[in-house]
Amino acid sequence: MKEIRWGFVGCGEVTEYKSGPAFNQVEGSSIVAVMSRNADRARSYAERHGVPKWYTDAQALIDDPDVNAVYIATPPSSHATYAIMAMRAGKPVYVEKPMAASYDDCARINRVSQETHVPCFVAYYRRYLPYFQKVKELLDNGSIGKPLNVQIRFACPPREVDYNAPEARPWRIQPDIAGGGYFYDLAPHQLDLLQQFFGVIVKAHGYSANLAGLYQAEDSVSACFRFENGLPGSGSWCFAGHESAREDCIEIIGTEGILCFSVFDYNPIRLHTSEGIQEIIIENPKYVQQPLIQAVVETLQGRGDCQCTALSATPTNWALDYILAKF
């Protein structure tokens, strides 16, 4: 494939700011069609972004001969359906995270990818951002010695939409659509990164609760897990706390120091060693998914080897489901 001509299934907020524009910024890549079940939304997106075609039916977009790769940016519950439709049509897939609403759906995607020999990539774009590549570099060069323990701490107050009536609540807190609540939406980025640093999680256990009672999904989660290299880790997530508790931090404790960084706020990376505290500021690109999209495009063109595949993304869903006791 010389020119990767993308069709978007879904054109919501993530495609406006994080991913959509990047597809036209990468050499050899362009957006040729978009789809939304809402005709006004599809038409508006196409007009605003200069996309030639728009659809209200996913199969029609997938069958379009001008489309030779499909980006799936719908809520997780439909990821497996659309990914399988595209792969069976012989068209490579780039799907938003989490890869699906359950580990079982991830397994279905992988089976079809293997059967059809059509690749599926997952939008864990933080793997390719300079900020997190710097974190990995610090770990790899032994800046904190041997890692001994990993701690995730995340807390935030409720969002205004969390107080909406049930019919007006965002899909991210509807478990039948999202796979869980905000934990299932945000924790995947944290767990995926840590598995890039330390290998896959082989054991995971958690406790979840809905204590604020604003919606059906969990709003507080505590977990412990172990990586394949034996490193233990733990995490706590609270999505209904007081503003004073707001935190976005991963702390890695080593024999020679501590490394602290954030996953969503991109606060300065903090390296604590016997020499003192060093703060490292790393800028990310304007469109944060662009480095990963470029890697995907180069792989489809036969001149790259993007490892952000469905197979590599599946262990994250496995860990999520074990933490939430979904098995």
Side-chain angles (χ1 to χ4, degrees):
M1 301 170 76
K2 292 184 178 180
E3 179 74 21
I4 312 303
R5 302 184 303 273
W6 294 94
F8 286 11
V9 177
C11 50
E13 182 180 352
V14 68
T15 69
E16 293 280 359
Y17 307 108
K18 294 183 178 181
S19 62
F23 286 90
N24 283 329
Q25 296 292 319
V26 174
E27 184 179 353
S29 170
S30 61
I31 311 166
V32 299
V34 296
M35 170 268 168
S36 173
R37 289 180 296 177
N38 183 309
D40 290 339
R41 179 180 295 173
R43 182 190 301 109
S44 172
Y45 191 96
E47 291 174 351
R48 287 183 291 104
H49 294 279
V51 179
K53 303 179 185 181
W54 59 270
Y55 293 93
T56 58
D57 179 75
Q59 190 66 64
L61 177 140
I62 290 169
D63 290 340
D64 186 329
D66 288 336
V67 171
N68 62 9
V70 177
Y71 170 40
I72 299 169
T74 58
S77 61
S78 59
H79 285 183
T81 297
Y82 291 137
I84 289 170
M85 286 167 60
M87 289 187 292
R88 292 211 182 279
K91 302 188 178 183
V93 172
Y94 178 69
V95 63
E96 269 301 327
K97 51 80 3 216
M99 179 177 161
S102 69
Y103 170 78
D104 287 343
D105 275 353
C106 293
R108 290 173 56 216
I109 292 172
N110 283 318
R111 283 197 299 270
V112 174
S113 180
Q114 292 168 354
E115 291 169 4
T116 60
H117 303 287
V118 176
C120 177
F121 303 93
V122 182
Y124 282 121
Y125 60 88
R126 282 174 168 79
R127 298 187 196 180
Y128 282 76
L129 286 179
Y131 180 97
F132 300 106
Q133 291 186 335
K134 181 62 177 181
V135 172
K136 189 174 189 307
E137 176 189 318
L138 292 168
L139 291 169
D140 290 347
N141 67 20
S143 295
I144 62 168
K146 181 180 180 179
L148 301 173
N149 193 275
V150 178
Q151 300 173 8
I152 302 172
R153 298 190 300 275
F154 185 90
C156 65
R159 297 156 173 81
E160 287 188 12
V161 293
D162 296 348
Y163 296 96
N164 289 352
E167 64 274 9
R169 289 172 184 162
W171 61 261
R172 287 178 174 82
I173 52 175
Q174 299 181 45
D176 58 329
I177 299 175
Y182 289 122
F183 172 78
Y184 218 86
D185 183 51
L186 298 177
H189 275 304
Q190 299 162 317
L191 297 176
D192 177 77
L193 278 170
L194 291 176
Q195 290 183 107
Q196 296 311 299
F197 300 156
F198 304 119
V200 299
I201 292 172
V202 294
K203 285 190 176 181
H205 184 73
Y207 296 94
S208 60
N210 182 311
L211 298 176
L214 299 176
Y215 42 76
Q216 179 185 353
E218 73 287 339
D219 58 23
S220 187
V221 178
S222 291
C224 58
F225 40 86
R226 181 168 64 82
F227 298 91
E228 61 181 334
N229 67 357
L231 181 70
S234 62
S236 66
W237 296 262
C238 179
F239 303 99
H242 187 263
E243 174 64 34
S244 61
R246 186 184 289 273
E247 187 174 18
D248 171 18
C249 178
I250 293 182
E251 186 174 273
I252 303 171
I253 301 170
T255 56
E256 305 295 332
I258 301 173
L259 185 61
C260 303
F261 61 97
S262 61
V263 173
F264 305 101
D265 294 337
Y266 306 114
N267 295 324
I269 300 165
R270 292 172 61 87
L271 177 63
H272 302 244
T273 66
S274 57
E275 298 178 359
I277 301 175
Q278 179 184 2
E279 287 197 345
I280 304 167
I281 299 174
I282 303 291
E283 297 293 331
N284 286 321
K286 179 179 180 181
Y287 304 118
V288 291
Q289 291 204 27
Q290 185 167 337
L292 173 54
I293 292 169
Q294 180 171 335
V296 170
V297 168
E298 291 176 353
T299 299
L300 295 177
Q301 292 172 333
R303 56 191 183 94
D305 184 23
C306 178
Q307 295 299 306
C308 207
T309 62
L311 202 60
S312 76
T314 297
T316 293
N317 275 83
W318 181 91
L320 292 171
D321 286 4
Y322 262 97
I323 290 170
L324 292 183
K326 291 172 67 174
F327 285 111

